[in-house]
Amino acid sequence: MYVSQAQPGVVQVFSLEELPELPLVKSLPAEAGAHHMGFFTTASGREVMVVQNNLLNLSEPVPLNAGTFTVVDIQTGEVVDTVDLAQTHDLMPE
């Protein structure tokens, strides 16, 4: 089970094998405002997760809006890419 956490911006992966316990398997990186997730297999067979980092347009008391998409390899936890639409196109990923 994948659960996004907006602050500090991570995705927690829990096992469903030991219900009702939910042991944490790993944490995957994201950015502030981690919210929606999409899962894909690339043409080369790599399994990736894309995280929308845009929960709320707030800056205080803590930022919850990085305005990015984070592409993460779900096996290794490596950040494959960060797409910054705010910086490159003056758009927010809403």
Side-chain angles (χ1 to χ4, degrees), residues 43-64:
S44 65
R46 191 174 197 179
E47 294 180 338
V48 298
M49 167 185 68
V50 179
V51 184
Q52 175 190 355
N53 303 304
N54 184 34
L55 181 59
L56 295 171
N57 291 327
L58 299 175
S59 59
E60 298 294 334
V62 294
L64 291 175

Side-chain angles (χ1 to χ4, degrees), residues 13-86:
V13 183
F14 296 92
S15 171
L16 299 176
E17 303 278 324
E18 301 175 29
L19 291 174
E21 301 297 320
L22 290 172
L24 178 65
V25 175
K26 59 184 161 185
S27 295
L28 299 172
E31 293 187 26
H35 191 46
H36 295 113
M37 297 166 279
F39 299 85
F40 304 92
T41 302
T42 66
S44 65
R46 191 174 197 179
E47 294 180 338
V48 298
M49 167 185 68
V50 179
V51 184
Q52 175 190 355
N53 303 304
N54 184 34
L55 181 59
L56 295 171
N57 291 327
L58 299 175
S59 59
E60 298 294 334
V62 294
L64 291 175
N65 187 359
T68 61
F69 289 102
T70 305
V71 183
V72 181
D73 183 306
I74 61 174
Q75 300 302 318
T76 67
E78 171 193 356
V79 175
V80 176
D81 197 6
T82 299
V83 179
D84 191 336
L85 293 177

